[in-house]
Amino acid sequence: MNAGPSPRAERMVFLLLENFTLSAFAGAIEPLRLANHISNTKLYDWVVVSEDGNPVTSSSGVQVSCDQALGEFDRDTTIIVIGGIGIKQSTTKTVLNWLRRESRRGMAIGAVCTGAYAIASAGLLNGKRCTTHWENRDSFMEEFPEIELTQSVFIIDQNRYTAAGGSASFDMMLNLVARKHGTDLANQVADQLIHTSLRSESDEQRLSIPTRIGVRHPKLAKVVQEMENNIEETISPSTLAKDVGMSTRQLERLFRRYMNRSPKRYYMELRLKKARNLLLQTDMSVINVALACGFASPSHFSKCYRSMYSTTPYRERGASDGEH
């Protein structure tokens, strides 16, 4: 039994944006429920809100009812924005104004998955470190070049919290539980969640390159890393080969053997994948997307894009607009 008076429950407000990611929401709220259950104390309470108080549909089609519309909460409340697909459309002026107002009142504000876009758009990540889902990294960096975006699973920077989504939501909330109520309770919550490895801010959200490409060859991994880091200003195959102590012909054979394509083709696919993300997630012009992905000629970009995706960049942009 707990001795003495129970501590005042910490209030959490979860803002669900349209097409939010259900797993990210569950990952944020379940650790709080379990912390209460295990401690036999109401350490946390929470309210689920939407812009107008109506139910919100997740990206999986599951609809979640909300307790109320956006309103004014106690100053010691923590707000967590739950994002998902189509984040630009769901980040309305009403949402932005509410976030700014609550921030001025001294609220701690966090976000999971693409929710970081919403709080960045409100100007609440200026001067802070943050993270977002890796798939949205390119578009976030293009839109907010002044914000320090990391590849961590989560970041806690003073009173700003961001998590990449999915299981990273568990990690961030478990870390917050540990800071407030001790690592023993956080570990017990993790056990209940069958969450066997507590990740920290130093852990990156994506698998290592050798794991992603399915090949444990250090020189190949280094070249792929260089390609990923140099999309806008591309590096020639001869320079890539020289950087790892190989001839261009040896590098060609290495890629043919392990990746079943030439280095040039692999590099092109990386650039086009980034281009597709930017087309679908930003309002950048097709020409600016081409330049951001290392294409000096829009016509060459369009030709390469059609070859890989069987559509043009302009039609891709049009299809994207039609989805929202």
Side-chain angles (χ1 to χ4, degrees):
M1 297 291 292
N2 294 321
S6 298
R8 183 173 181 272
E10 182 176 351
R11 169 62 64 93
M12 294 276 188
V13 173
F14 293 98
L15 168 60
L16 303 185
L17 299 180
E18 198 65 33
N19 286 313
F20 71 94
T21 303
L22 195 60
S23 61
F25 175 45
I29 202 168
E30 276 296 286
L32 307 183
R33 179 188 71 81
L34 287 167
N36 289 350
H37 172 71
I38 293 167
S39 66
N40 196 31
T41 306
K42 193 174 183 181
L43 301 177
Y44 299 95
D45 65 17
W46 51 85
V47 59
V48 180
V49 306
S50 64
E51 182 175 337
D52 54 10
N54 290 327
V56 183
T57 303
S58 69
S59 57
S60 61
V62 175
Q63 196 173 73
V64 175
S65 61
C66 295
D67 300 304
Q68 65 174 78
L70 301 178
E72 189 172 296
F73 296 93
D74 292 340
R75 294 176 186 273
D76 57 355
T77 298
T78 297
I79 295 168
I80 304 291
V81 181
I82 315 292
I85 63 174
I87 186 64
K88 294 191 74 170
Q89 287 70 33
S90 59
T91 303
T92 64
K93 288 183 178 179
T94 301
V95 167
L96 291 174
N97 289 336
W98 179 75
L99 288 170
R100 291 176 183 131
R101 188 191 73 199
E102 296 303 279
S103 173
R104 286 194 296 269
R105 298 178 60 242
M107 303 288 196
I109 298 178
V112 298
C113 198
T114 62
Y117 174 89
I119 61 175
S121 296
L124 307 184
L125 288 178
N126 296 341
K128 307 290 186 184
R129 297 169 64 245
C130 72
T131 191
T132 191
H133 192 281
W134 62 265
E135 193 174 40
N136 298 83
R137 178 177 173 80
D138 293 333
S139 57
F140 190 99
M141 291 175 69
E142 290 289 343
E143 189 133 1
F144 308 106
E146 73 286 355
I147 295 177
E148 184 181 351
L149 182 67
T150 75
Q151 299 189 57
S152 300
V153 289
F154 70 90
I155 289 290
I156 296 174
D157 190 342
Q158 297 177 319
N159 65 345
R160 293 291 180 265
Y161 319 137
T162 50
S167 63
S169 300
F170 287 121
D171 294 298
M172 183 178 80
M173 300 308 285
L174 289 168
N175 192 280
L176 291 174
V177 169
R179 290 183 180 209
K180 192 75 176 282
H181 302 289
T183 55
D184 184 56
L185 177 59
N187 287 336
Q188 290 182 66
V189 172
D191 274 344
Q192 286 287 326
L193 292 166
I194 322 296
H195 197 68
T196 56
S197 177
L198 280 174
R199 292 180 292 182
S200 71
E201 292 180 76
S202 61
D203 288 307
E204 294 193 356
Q205 55 185 283
R206 295 201 72 185
L207 298 172
S208 67
I209 286 177
T211 303
R212 271 192 279 137
I213 66 177
V215 179
R216 296 198 173 277
H217 191 295
K219 290 188 176 183
L220 181 63
K222 185 176 179 181
V223 170
V224 170
Q225 183 73 73
E226 282 296 296
M227 289 177 173
E228 291 185 355
N229 291 342
N230 295 275
I231 298 292
E232 185 170 351
E233 299 289 340
T234 58
I235 304 174
S236 69
S238 59
T239 301
L240 289 168
K242 185 179 179 181
D243 287 345
V244 293
M246 304 178 76
S247 68
T248 306
R249 184 172 294 181
Q250 287 173 321
L251 183 66
E252 181 86 18
R253 285 201 296 265
L254 186 66
F255 266 79
R256 291 287 183 189
R257 177 180 177 185
Y258 291 111
M259 310 300 287
N260 199 32
R261 52 176 61 75
S262 69
K264 185 177 179 181
R265 180 63 193 171
Y266 186 85
Y267 208 170
M268 176 65 73
E269 290 173 0
L270 287 178
R271 293 159 60 200
L272 291 170
K273 286 175 184 176
K274 175 177 178 177
R276 187 168 190 268
N277 278 342
L278 293 177
L279 287 168
L280 295 175
Q281 298 170 13
T282 74
D283 293 328
M284 293 172 65
S285 69
V286 171
I287 291 174
N288 284 337
V289 168
L291 293 173
C293 299
F295 294 94
S297 163
S299 59
H300 181 229
F301 170 52
S302 186
K303 179 182 177 182
C304 294
Y305 198 93
R306 181 194 288 272
S307 175
M308 182 163 176
Y309 292 114
S310 300
T311 189
T312 68
Y314 293 95
R315 287 176 181 165
E316 189 81 90
R317 169 59 55 74
S320 171
D321 290 343
E323 289 171 0
H324 301 296

